[in-house]
Amino acid sequence: MLGDIVGKKLKKDLSTAVNKPREWRAELEYTIEGIQRGIIDPKDVAKTVLSTLAVFAFVFVLLLPVYWILMIALQGEGATLYSTDSAGLVPTEFNLEAFIWVIGDIAIPAKVVGISIPFLGEFFLSWPRIVFFDSSPYVDSTSNFPRYFVNSMVVGFFTVVIALSVVIPASYALSRRQFAGRMKLLYGYILFTQVGGGLGIAGLIALYTIFVSFGVANNRLVLAVYYAALAVPFNTWLLKTYMDSIPVSYEEAAIMDGASPFRVAWEVVLPLAKPGLATILIFIFLTGWMEFIVAQLVLRPENYTLPVGLFMLVDTYSVPWGQFSAFALVYASPIVFVYLFAQRYIEAGLSFGGVEG
């Protein structure tokens, strides 16, 4: 079901991207024809053009750090921050070695699977490594980015699943049910977690002691539980606020039709809360994807996530700026794609409303 929804959205977005140039061309021709016929004031067109250019200039200023990192990454091993020639906005040398070093081979690894059949013994099935892109002609070695990426995806996935399993029912209960101390419980919950986050080094020591005492250090699933616990209070408040904007009359109509409380929540409230769900999904995923300190504290090298892997590139006496920048850009790219895909929902979710009565 989720695959069909994602597929339809991707197909719609791709169709929009393909048709957009044709729409822009039609609008341009309409504007030119309107000016020639005197039905469109050239001053209005000039104001629109100047406003658009101002917005582009503002966006460029905001994206200047990303552009600068991209320029550093495109210089490969020769990149440095200590030379104006290398750190300029338009460097003289370009190559993709840093990105190839980060991604490495693009291949399906070889696998061997053992199958035990009673009375016949054990058989082994194997298939070879299928290589789509061999990076060895371009770089001497590759990074551990794929392994760190898998670790981050595992942590991020379980963080989202665990947090949503708590946030959704808690938000619905706080939004629709009346009980003693309802709002004080919510605000106290958020305040407690914020104060806990400010304990700093003492909190880290206590957290590390707990992980070690229970023998769960270097465990990605337990780390995901910790991230989910961090994400639950704020996102419960955020989703509860969005659910408050959904008219109760929708649920009353469903109940009159004989729907059970579970069906009301699953088939009425949750579909209407999709913008809020998309928004908190991004926030929860970012909690597990970007956190560095605790991951570096409790994980060992084989389970390092991407932020820790990025930090490991910093040597005692030097930093490979080209590889560091390429690693950072590839690390940030999944968040950009997820945000672009969920943009329409996030904008609606952050507005805390938008449900027509």
Side-chain angles (χ1 to χ4, degrees), residues 36-72:
Q36 292 173 343
R37 294 172 57 188
I39 59 176
I40 296 178
D41 190 348
K43 292 182 180 178
D44 294 336
V45 178
K47 290 179 182 176
T48 302
V49 172
L50 291 175
S51 300
T52 304
L53 292 176
V55 170
F56 274 114
F58 180 70
V59 172
F60 177 76
V61 171
L62 292 179
L63 294 178
L64 193 57
V66 179
Y67 172 79
W68 191 40
I69 294 174
L70 176 63
M71 292 300 103
I72 294 292

PDB file of all heavy atoms in Angstrom, residues 36-72:
ATOM      1  N   GLN A  36       2.097  43.033 -26.071  1.00  0.00           N
ATOM      2  CA  GLN A  36       1.946  43.553 -27.434  1.00  0.00           C
ATOM      3  C   GLN A  36       0.523  44.049 -27.697  1.00  0.00           C
ATOM      4  O   GLN A  36       0.327  45.042 -28.400  1.00  0.00           O
ATOM      5  CB  GLN A  36       2.323  42.460 -28.443  1.00  0.00           C
ATOM      6  CG  GLN A  36       3.807  42.105 -28.420  1.00  0.00           C
ATOM      7  CD  GLN A  36       4.140  40.918 -29.301  1.00  0.00           C
ATOM      8  OE1 GLN A  36       3.249  40.148 -29.690  1.00  0.00           O
ATOM      9  NE2 GLN A  36       5.420  40.772 -29.626  1.00  0.00           N
ATOM     10  N   ARG A  37      -0.462  43.355 -27.101  1.00  0.00           N
ATOM     11  CA  ARG A  37      -1.853  43.766 -27.307  1.00  0.00           C
ATOM     12  C   ARG A  37      -2.297  44.833 -26.318  1.00  0.00           C
ATOM     13  O   ARG A  37      -3.409  45.350 -26.411  1.00  0.00           O
ATOM     14  CB  ARG A  37      -2.763  42.538 -27.178  1.00  0.00           C
ATOM     15  CG  ARG A  37      -2.533  41.510 -28.278  1.00  0.00           C
ATOM     16  CD  ARG A  37      -3.301  40.242 -27.994  1.00  0.00           C
ATOM     17  NE  ARG A  37      -4.730  40.498 -27.839  1.00  0.00           N
ATOM     18  CZ  ARG A  37      -5.612  39.590 -27.425  1.00  0.00           C
ATOM     19  NH1 ARG A  37      -5.178  38.367 -27.124  1.00  0.00           N
ATOM     20  NH2 ARG A  37      -6.880  39.895 -27.311  1.00  0.00           N
ATOM     21  N   GLY A  38      -1.448  45.149 -25.353  1.00  0.00           N
ATOM     22  CA  GLY A  38      -1.756  46.211 -24.406  1.00  0.00           C
ATOM     23  C   GLY A  38      -2.659  45.815 -23.264  1.00  0.00           C
ATOM     24  O   GLY A  38      -3.164  46.682 -22.540  1.00  0.00           O
ATOM     25  N   ILE A  39      -2.889  44.521 -23.041  1.00  0.00           N
ATOM     26  CA  ILE A  39      -3.770  44.085 -21.946  1.00  0.00           C
ATOM     27  C   ILE A  39      -2.962  43.758 -20.683  1.00  0.00           C
ATOM     28  O   ILE A  39      -3.529  43.520 -19.633  1.00  0.00           O
ATOM     29  CB  ILE A  39      -4.606  42.846 -22.361  1.00  0.00           C
ATOM     30  CG1 ILE A  39      -3.689  41.685 -22.744  1.00  0.00           C
ATOM     31  CG2 ILE A  39      -5.546  43.204 -23.493  1.00  0.00           C
ATOM     32  CD1 ILE A  39      -4.439  40.410 -23.071  1.00  0.00           C
ATOM     33  N   ILE A  40      -1.624  43.724 -20.793  1.00  0.00           N
ATOM     34  CA  ILE A  40      -0.755  43.504 -19.623  1.00  0.00           C
ATOM     35  C   ILE A  40       0.200  44.682 -19.510  1.00  0.00           C
ATOM     36  O   ILE A  40       0.864  45.054 -20.496  1.00  0.00           O
ATOM     37  CB  ILE A  40       0.036  42.185 -19.759  1.00  0.00           C
ATOM     38  CG1 ILE A  40      -0.920  40.990 -19.780  1.00  0.00           C
ATOM     39  CG2 ILE A  40       1.026  42.042 -18.604  1.00  0.00           C
ATOM     40  CD1 ILE A  40      -0.235  39.655 -19.951  1.00  0.00           C
ATOM     41  N   ASP A  41       0.247  45.281 -18.331  1.00  0.00           N
ATOM     42  CA  ASP A  41       1.112  46.438 -18.102  1.00  0.00           C
ATOM     43  C   ASP A  41       2.566  45.979 -17.982  1.00  0.00           C
ATOM     44  O   ASP A  41       2.876  45.141 -17.132  1.00  0.00           O
ATOM     45  CB  ASP A  41       0.680  47.152 -16.823  1.00  0.00           C
ATOM     46  CG  ASP A  41       1.390  48.497 -16.656  1.00  0.00           C
ATOM     47  OD1 ASP A  41       2.356  48.758 -17.402  1.00  0.00           O
ATOM     48  OD2 ASP A  41       0.964  49.269 -15.777  1.00  0.00           O
ATOM     49  N   PRO A  42       3.479  46.524 -18.802  1.00  0.00           N
ATOM     50  CA  PRO A  42       4.903  46.137 -18.702  1.00  0.00           C
ATOM     51  C   PRO A  42       5.488  46.382 -17.312  1.00  0.00           C
ATOM     52  O   PRO A  42       6.409  45.678 -16.892  1.00  0.00           O
ATOM     53  CB  PRO A  42       5.581  47.003 -19.765  1.00  0.00           C
ATOM     54  CG  PRO A  42       4.500  47.341 -20.731  1.00  0.00           C
ATOM     55  CD  PRO A  42       3.250  47.455 -19.921  1.00  0.00           C
ATOM     56  N   LYS A  43       4.950  47.415 -16.596  1.00  0.00           N
ATOM     57  CA  LYS A  43       5.481  47.691 -15.251  1.00  0.00           C
ATOM     58  C   LYS A  43       5.203  46.524 -14.300  1.00  0.00           C
ATOM     59  O   LYS A  43       6.036  46.186 -13.459  1.00  0.00           O
ATOM     60  CB  LYS A  43       4.844  48.976 -14.705  1.00  0.00           C
ATOM     61  CG  LYS A  43       5.263  50.230 -15.447  1.00  0.00           C
ATOM     62  CD  LYS A  43       4.624  51.469 -14.820  1.00  0.00           C
ATOM     63  CE  LYS A  43       5.050  52.735 -15.565  1.00  0.00           C
ATOM     64  NZ  LYS A  43       4.398  53.943 -15.015  1.00  0.00           N
ATOM     65  N   ASP A  44       4.016  45.906 -14.435  1.00  0.00           N
ATOM     66  CA  ASP A  44       3.706  44.743 -13.585  1.00  0.00           C
ATOM     67  C   ASP A  44       4.646  43.582 -13.884  1.00  0.00           C
ATOM     68  O   ASP A  44       5.093  42.870 -12.974  1.00  0.00           O
ATOM     69  CB  ASP A  44       2.255  44.308 -13.814  1.00  0.00           C
ATOM     70  CG  ASP A  44       1.254  45.352 -13.338  1.00  0.00           C
ATOM     71  OD1 ASP A  44       1.632  46.153 -12.464  1.00  0.00           O
ATOM     72  OD2 ASP A  44       0.123  45.371 -13.873  1.00  0.00           O
ATOM     73  N   VAL A  45       4.945  43.395 -15.169  1.00  0.00           N
ATOM     74  CA  VAL A  45       5.878  42.329 -15.552  1.00  0.00           C
ATOM     75  C   VAL A  45       7.262  42.613 -14.986  1.00  0.00           C
ATOM     76  O   VAL A  45       7.937  41.714 -14.461  1.00  0.00           O
ATOM     77  CB  VAL A  45       5.939  42.191 -17.093  1.00  0.00           C
ATOM     78  CG1 VAL A  45       6.950  41.118 -17.487  1.00  0.00           C
ATOM     79  CG2 VAL A  45       4.570  41.862 -17.657  1.00  0.00           C
ATOM     80  N   ALA A  46       7.678  43.901 -15.079  1.00  0.00           N
ATOM     81  CA  ALA A  46       9.004  44.261 -14.560  1.00  0.00           C
ATOM     82  C   ALA A  46       9.079  44.029 -13.057  1.00  0.00           C
ATOM     83  O   ALA A  46      10.089  43.533 -12.541  1.00  0.00           O
ATOM     84  CB  ALA A  46       9.297  45.726 -14.895  1.00  0.00           C
ATOM     85  N   LYS A  47       8.002  44.361 -12.332  1.00  0.00           N
ATOM     86  CA  LYS A  47       7.989  44.138 -10.884  1.00  0.00           C
ATOM     87  C   LYS A  47       8.114  42.650 -10.554  1.00  0.00           C
ATOM     88  O   LYS A  47       8.834  42.250  -9.640  1.00  0.00           O
ATOM     89  CB  LYS A  47       6.690  44.695 -10.285  1.00  0.00           C
ATOM     90  CG  LYS A  47       6.607  46.214 -10.288  1.00  0.00           C
ATOM     91  CD  LYS A  47       5.271  46.671  -9.707  1.00  0.00           C
ATOM     92  CE  LYS A  47       5.161  48.194  -9.745  1.00  0.00           C
ATOM     93  NZ  LYS A  47       3.834  48.668  -9.263  1.00  0.00           N
ATOM     94  N   THR A  48       7.395  41.836 -11.348  1.00  0.00           N
ATOM     95  CA  THR A  48       7.459  40.386 -11.110  1.00  0.00           C
ATOM     96  C   THR A  48       8.863  39.848 -11.368  1.00  0.00           C
ATOM     97  O   THR A  48       9.398  39.038 -10.598  1.00  0.00           O
ATOM     98  CB  THR A  48       6.450  39.668 -12.021  1.00  0.00           C
ATOM     99  OG1 THR A  48       5.141  40.174 -11.777  1.00  0.00           O
ATOM    100  CG2 THR A  48       6.473  38.168 -11.765  1.00  0.00           C
ATOM    101  N   VAL A  49       9.482  40.315 -12.476  1.00  0.00           N
ATOM    102  CA  VAL A  49      10.836  39.851 -12.815  1.00  0.00           C
ATOM    103  C   VAL A  49      11.831  40.262 -11.738  1.00  0.00           C
ATOM    104  O   VAL A  49      12.669  39.457 -11.281  1.00  0.00           O
ATOM    105  CB  VAL A  49      11.262  40.412 -14.192  1.00  0.00           C
ATOM    106  CG1 VAL A  49      12.739  40.103 -14.451  1.00  0.00           C
ATOM    107  CG2 VAL A  49      10.393  39.830 -15.292  1.00  0.00           C
ATOM    108  N   LEU A  50      11.750  41.534 -11.292  1.00  0.00           N
ATOM    109  CA  LEU A  50      12.680  42.006 -10.254  1.00  0.00           C
ATOM    110  C   LEU A  50      12.463  41.261  -8.936  1.00  0.00           C
ATOM    111  O   LEU A  50      13.429  40.912  -8.243  1.00  0.00           O
ATOM    112  CB  LEU A  50      12.488  43.516 -10.049  1.00  0.00           C
ATOM    113  CG  LEU A  50      12.954  44.407 -11.210  1.00  0.00           C
ATOM    114  CD1 LEU A  50      12.609  45.869 -10.940  1.00  0.00           C
ATOM    115  CD2 LEU A  50      14.452  44.252 -11.444  1.00  0.00           C
ATOM    116  N   SER A  51      11.208  41.006  -8.590  1.00  0.00           N
ATOM    117  CA  SER A  51      10.927  40.259  -7.348  1.00  0.00           C
ATOM    118  C   SER A  51      11.492  38.852  -7.431  1.00  0.00           C
ATOM    119  O   SER A  51      12.077  38.337  -6.464  1.00  0.00           O
ATOM    120  CB  SER A  51       9.415  40.194  -7.108  1.00  0.00           C
ATOM    121  OG  SER A  51       8.867  41.488  -6.994  1.00  0.00           O
ATOM    122  N   THR A  52      11.335  38.224  -8.610  1.00  0.00           N
ATOM    123  CA  THR A  52      11.863  36.859  -8.787  1.00  0.00           C
ATOM    124  C   THR A  52      13.387  36.843  -8.680  1.00  0.00           C
ATOM    125  O   THR A  52      13.969  35.965  -8.025  1.00  0.00           O
ATOM    126  CB  THR A  52      11.435  36.300 -10.150  1.00  0.00           C
ATOM    127  OG1 THR A  52      10.010  36.359 -10.258  1.00  0.00           O
ATOM    128  CG2 THR A  52      11.890  34.864 -10.307  1.00  0.00           C
ATOM    129  N   LEU A  53      14.031  37.834  -9.311  1.00  0.00           N
ATOM    130  CA  LEU A  53      15.495  37.900  -9.231  1.00  0.00           C
ATOM    131  C   LEU A  53      15.954  38.130  -7.790  1.00  0.00           C
ATOM    132  O   LEU A  53      16.968  37.561  -7.351  1.00  0.00           O
ATOM    133  CB  LEU A  53      16.016  39.023 -10.138  1.00  0.00           C
ATOM    134  CG  LEU A  53      15.853  38.784 -11.642  1.00  0.00           C
ATOM    135  CD1 LEU A  53      16.324  40.009 -12.429  1.00  0.00           C
ATOM    136  CD2 LEU A  53      16.633  37.551 -12.092  1.00  0.00           C
ATOM    137  N   ALA A  54      15.207  38.959  -7.045  1.00  0.00           N
ATOM    138  CA  ALA A  54      15.567  39.205  -5.644  1.00  0.00           C
ATOM    139  C   ALA A  54      15.447  37.934  -4.821  1.00  0.00           C
ATOM    140  O   ALA A  54      16.300  37.645  -3.967  1.00  0.00           O
ATOM    141  CB  ALA A  54      14.659  40.294  -5.070  1.00  0.00           C
ATOM    142  N   VAL A  55      14.409  37.137  -5.086  1.00  0.00           N
ATOM    143  CA  VAL A  55      14.241  35.882  -4.365  1.00  0.00           C
ATOM    144  C   VAL A  55      15.370  34.913  -4.696  1.00  0.00           C
ATOM    145  O   VAL A  55      15.940  34.259  -3.815  1.00  0.00           O
ATOM    146  CB  VAL A  55      12.873  35.256  -4.699  1.00  0.00           C
ATOM    147  CG1 VAL A  55      12.785  33.833  -4.161  1.00  0.00           C
ATOM    148  CG2 VAL A  55      11.743  36.102  -4.134  1.00  0.00           C
ATOM    149  N   PHE A  56      15.732  34.855  -6.003  1.00  0.00           N
ATOM    150  CA  PHE A  56      16.840  33.970  -6.401  1.00  0.00           C
ATOM    151  C   PHE A  56      18.140  34.395  -5.715  1.00  0.00           C
ATOM    152  O   PHE A  56      18.928  33.551  -5.271  1.00  0.00           O
ATOM    153  CB  PHE A  56      17.006  33.988  -7.916  1.00  0.00           C
ATOM    154  CG  PHE A  56      16.125  32.997  -8.624  1.00  0.00           C
ATOM    155  CD1 PHE A  56      15.111  33.425  -9.467  1.00  0.00           C
ATOM    156  CD2 PHE A  56      16.303  31.636  -8.451  1.00  0.00           C
ATOM    157  CE1 PHE A  56      14.286  32.512 -10.123  1.00  0.00           C
ATOM    158  CE2 PHE A  56      15.490  30.719  -9.093  1.00  0.00           C
ATOM    159  CZ  PHE A  56      14.480  31.154  -9.924  1.00  0.00           C
ATOM    160  N   ALA A  57      18.368  35.711  -5.644  1.00  0.00           N
ATOM    161  CA  ALA A  57      19.588  36.200  -4.990  1.00  0.00           C
ATOM    162  C   ALA A  57      19.581  35.843  -3.509  1.00  0.00           C
ATOM    163  O   ALA A  57      20.607  35.427  -2.940  1.00  0.00           O
ATOM    164  CB  ALA A  57      19.694  37.715  -5.171  1.00  0.00           C
ATOM    165  N   PHE A  58      18.417  35.965  -2.860  1.00  0.00           N
ATOM    166  CA  PHE A  58      18.307  35.630  -1.437  1.00  0.00           C
ATOM    167  C   PHE A  58      18.558  34.138  -1.209  1.00  0.00           C
ATOM    168  O   PHE A  58      19.286  33.755  -0.281  1.00  0.00           O
ATOM    169  CB  PHE A  58      16.911  36.028  -0.948  1.00  0.00           C
ATOM    170  CG  PHE A  58      16.677  35.738   0.509  1.00  0.00           C
ATOM    171  CD1 PHE A  58      17.329  36.467   1.493  1.00  0.00           C
ATOM    172  CD2 PHE A  58      15.803  34.732   0.892  1.00  0.00           C
ATOM    173  CE1 PHE A  58      17.112  36.192   2.826  1.00  0.00           C
ATOM    174  CE2 PHE A  58      15.590  34.455   2.219  1.00  0.00           C
ATOM    175  CZ  PHE A  58      16.250  35.185   3.198  1.00  0.00           C
ATOM    176  N   VAL A  59      17.966  33.311  -2.078  1.00  0.00           N
ATOM    177  CA  VAL A  59      18.166  31.859  -1.944  1.00  0.00           C
ATOM    178  C   VAL A  59      19.630  31.498  -2.176  1.00  0.00           C
ATOM    179  O   VAL A  59      20.191  30.631  -1.479  1.00  0.00           O
ATOM    180  CB  VAL A  59      17.253  31.112  -2.935  1.00  0.00           C
ATOM    181  CG1 VAL A  59      17.594  29.616  -2.956  1.00  0.00           C
ATOM    182  CG2 VAL A  59      15.795  31.300  -2.556  1.00  0.00           C
ATOM    183  N   PHE A  60      20.268  32.178  -3.135  1.00  0.00           N
ATOM    184  CA  PHE A  60      21.690  31.897  -3.396  1.00  0.00           C
ATOM    185  C   PHE A  60      22.541  32.218  -2.171  1.00  0.00           C
ATOM    186  O   PHE A  60      23.456  31.461  -1.826  1.00  0.00           O
ATOM    187  CB  PHE A  60      22.175  32.716  -4.599  1.00  0.00           C
ATOM    188  CG  PHE A  60      23.646  32.540  -4.878  1.00  0.00           C
ATOM    189  CD1 PHE A  60      24.123  31.388  -5.493  1.00  0.00           C
ATOM    190  CD2 PHE A  60      24.555  33.525  -4.504  1.00  0.00           C
ATOM    191  CE1 PHE A  60      25.479  31.219  -5.732  1.00  0.00           C
ATOM    192  CE2 PHE A  60      25.911  33.365  -4.747  1.00  0.00           C
ATOM    193  CZ  PHE A  60      26.373  32.208  -5.360  1.00  0.00           C
ATOM    194  N   VAL A  61      22.225  33.332  -1.504  1.00  0.00           N
ATOM    195  CA  VAL A  61      22.978  33.688  -0.291  1.00  0.00           C
ATOM    196  C   VAL A  61      22.786  32.620   0.787  1.00  0.00           C
ATOM    197  O   VAL A  61      23.737  32.223   1.464  1.00  0.00           O
ATOM    198  CB  VAL A  61      22.537  35.073   0.220  1.00  0.00           C
ATOM    199  CG1 VAL A  61      23.151  35.361   1.586  1.00  0.00           C
ATOM    200  CG2 VAL A  61      22.951  36.157  -0.767  1.00  0.00           C
ATOM    201  N   LEU A  62      21.547  32.139   0.921  1.00  0.00           N
ATOM    202  CA  LEU A  62      21.282  31.096   1.918  1.00  0.00           C
ATOM    203  C   LEU A  62      22.024  29.800   1.591  1.00  0.00           C
ATOM    204  O   LEU A  62      22.481  29.087   2.498  1.00  0.00           O
ATOM    205  CB  LEU A  62      19.779  30.823   2.001  1.00  0.00           C
ATOM    206  CG  LEU A  62      18.894  31.941   2.572  1.00  0.00           C
ATOM    207  CD1 LEU A  62      17.440  31.514   2.555  1.00  0.00           C
ATOM    208  CD2 LEU A  62      19.314  32.291   3.997  1.00  0.00           C
ATOM    209  N   LEU A  63      22.109  29.491   0.296  1.00  0.00           N
ATOM    210  CA  LEU A  63      22.750  28.237  -0.118  1.00  0.00           C
ATOM    211  C   LEU A  63      24.251  28.392  -0.358  1.00  0.00           C
ATOM    212  O   LEU A  63      24.895  27.422  -0.769  1.00  0.00           O
ATOM    213  CB  LEU A  63      22.090  27.708  -1.401  1.00  0.00           C
ATOM    214  CG  LEU A  63      20.631  27.263  -1.259  1.00  0.00           C
ATOM    215  CD1 LEU A  63      20.096  26.811  -2.610  1.00  0.00           C
ATOM    216  CD2 LEU A  63      20.504  26.134  -0.247  1.00  0.00           C
ATOM    217  N   LEU A  64      24.791  29.578  -0.095  1.00  0.00           N
ATOM    218  CA  LEU A  64      26.207  29.802  -0.358  1.00  0.00           C
ATOM    219  C   LEU A  64      27.119  28.829   0.391  1.00  0.00           C
ATOM    220  O   LEU A  64      28.087  28.324  -0.200  1.00  0.00           O
ATOM    221  CB  LEU A  64      26.563  31.252  -0.007  1.00  0.00           C
ATOM    222  CG  LEU A  64      27.921  31.748  -0.507  1.00  0.00           C
ATOM    223  CD1 LEU A  64      28.014  31.608  -2.029  1.00  0.00           C
ATOM    224  CD2 LEU A  64      28.138  33.202  -0.093  1.00  0.00           C
ATOM    225  N   PRO A  65      26.862  28.513   1.668  1.00  0.00           N
ATOM    226  CA  PRO A  65      27.727  27.515   2.335  1.00  0.00           C
ATOM    227  C   PRO A  65      27.706  26.146   1.642  1.00  0.00           C
ATOM    228  O   PRO A  65      28.751  25.495   1.532  1.00  0.00           O
ATOM    229  CB  PRO A  65      27.128  27.430   3.744  1.00  0.00           C
ATOM    230  CG  PRO A  65      26.438  28.733   3.949  1.00  0.00           C
ATOM    231  CD  PRO A  65      25.895  29.109   2.608  1.00  0.00           C
ATOM    232  N   VAL A  66      26.522  25.727   1.177  1.00  0.00           N
ATOM    233  CA  VAL A  66      26.447  24.444   0.474  1.00  0.00           C
ATOM    234  C   VAL A  66      27.224  24.504  -0.836  1.00  0.00           C
ATOM    235  O   VAL A  66      27.950  23.571  -1.202  1.00  0.00           O
ATOM    236  CB  VAL A  66      24.975  24.070   0.214  1.00  0.00           C
ATOM    237  CG1 VAL A  66      24.877  22.744  -0.548  1.00  0.00           C
ATOM    238  CG2 VAL A  66      24.212  23.986   1.519  1.00  0.00           C
ATOM    239  N   TYR A  67      27.069  25.627  -1.545  1.00  0.00           N
ATOM    240  CA  TYR A  67      27.806  25.798  -2.808  1.00  0.00           C
ATOM    241  C   TYR A  67      29.311  25.773  -2.549  1.00  0.00           C
ATOM    242  O   TYR A  67      30.070  25.155  -3.306  1.00  0.00           O
ATOM    243  CB  TYR A  67      27.388  27.126  -3.443  1.00  0.00           C
ATOM    244  CG  TYR A  67      28.209  27.520  -4.643  1.00  0.00           C
ATOM    245  CD1 TYR A  67      27.970  26.937  -5.890  1.00  0.00           C
ATOM    246  CD2 TYR A  67      29.235  28.463  -4.534  1.00  0.00           C
ATOM    247  CE1 TYR A  67      28.729  27.287  -6.995  1.00  0.00           C
ATOM    248  CE2 TYR A  67      30.001  28.810  -5.635  1.00  0.00           C
ATOM    249  CZ  TYR A  67      29.746  28.232  -6.859  1.00  0.00           C
ATOM    250  OH  TYR A  67      30.504  28.568  -7.948  1.00  0.00           O
ATOM    251  N   TRP A  68      29.737  26.408  -1.488  1.00  0.00           N
ATOM    252  CA  TRP A  68      31.158  26.463  -1.162  1.00  0.00           C
ATOM    253  C   TRP A  68      31.685  25.060  -0.855  1.00  0.00           C
ATOM    254  O   TRP A  68      32.778  24.670  -1.309  1.00  0.00           O
ATOM    255  CB  TRP A  68      31.353  27.399   0.032  1.00  0.00           C
ATOM    256  CG  TRP A  68      32.777  27.745   0.310  1.00  0.00           C
ATOM    257  CD1 TRP A  68      33.751  28.025  -0.607  1.00  0.00           C
ATOM    258  CD2 TRP A  68      33.385  27.841   1.584  1.00  0.00           C
ATOM    259  NE1 TRP A  68      34.925  28.305   0.024  1.00  0.00           N
ATOM    260  CE2 TRP A  68      34.732  28.207   1.371  1.00  0.00           C
ATOM    261  CE3 TRP A  68      32.924  27.677   2.883  1.00  0.00           C
ATOM    262  CZ2 TRP A  68      35.617  28.382   2.425  1.00  0.00           C
ATOM    263  CZ3 TRP A  68      33.807  27.862   3.933  1.00  0.00           C
ATOM    264  CH2 TRP A  68      35.142  28.210   3.695  1.00  0.00           C
ATOM    265  N   ILE A  69      30.922  24.280  -0.074  1.00  0.00           N
ATOM    266  CA  ILE A  69      31.322  22.902   0.223  1.00  0.00           C
ATOM    267  C   ILE A  69      31.400  22.082  -1.062  1.00  0.00           C
ATOM    268  O   ILE A  69      32.309  21.263  -1.245  1.00  0.00           O
ATOM    269  CB  ILE A  69      30.321  22.274   1.217  1.00  0.00           C
ATOM    270  CG1 ILE A  69      30.409  22.978   2.568  1.00  0.00           C
ATOM    271  CG2 ILE A  69      30.586  20.782   1.394  1.00  0.00           C
ATOM    272  CD1 ILE A  69      29.354  22.525   3.557  1.00  0.00           C
ATOM    273  N   LEU A  70      30.440  22.310  -1.980  1.00  0.00           N
ATOM    274  CA  LEU A  70      30.453  21.591  -3.260  1.00  0.00           C
ATOM    275  C   LEU A  70      31.722  21.924  -4.051  1.00  0.00           C
ATOM    276  O   LEU A  70      32.347  21.029  -4.640  1.00  0.00           O
ATOM    277  CB  LEU A  70      29.211  21.947  -4.070  1.00  0.00           C
ATOM    278  CG  LEU A  70      29.131  21.353  -5.475  1.00  0.00           C
ATOM    279  CD1 LEU A  70      29.087  19.827  -5.421  1.00  0.00           C
ATOM    280  CD2 LEU A  70      27.910  21.887  -6.224  1.00  0.00           C
ATOM    281  N   MET A  71      32.100  23.197  -4.067  1.00  0.00           N
ATOM    282  CA  MET A  71      33.310  23.586  -4.799  1.00  0.00           C
ATOM    283  C   MET A  71      34.553  22.934  -4.192  1.00  0.00           C
ATOM    284  O   MET A  71      35.471  22.517  -4.900  1.00  0.00           O
ATOM    285  CB  MET A  71      33.453  25.113  -4.775  1.00  0.00           C
ATOM    286  CG  MET A  71      32.405  25.854  -5.572  1.00  0.00           C
ATOM    287  SD  MET A  71      32.406  25.416  -7.335  1.00  0.00           S
ATOM    288  CE  MET A  71      30.984  24.330  -7.417  1.00  0.00           C
ATOM    289  N   ILE A  72      34.592  22.850  -2.868  1.00  0.00           N
ATOM    290  CA  ILE A  72      35.726  22.185  -2.198  1.00  0.00           C
ATOM    291  C   ILE A  72      35.752  20.704  -2.568  1.00  0.00           C
ATOM    292  O   ILE A  72      36.815  20.131  -2.855  1.00  0.00           O
ATOM    293  CB  ILE A  72      35.611  22.359  -0.672  1.00  0.00           C
ATOM    294  CG1 ILE A  72      35.770  23.838  -0.282  1.00  0.00           C
ATOM    295  CG2 ILE A  72      36.656  21.504   0.042  1.00  0.00           C
ATOM    296  CD1 ILE A  72      37.136  24.394  -0.500  1.00  0.00           C
TER     297      ILE A  72
END
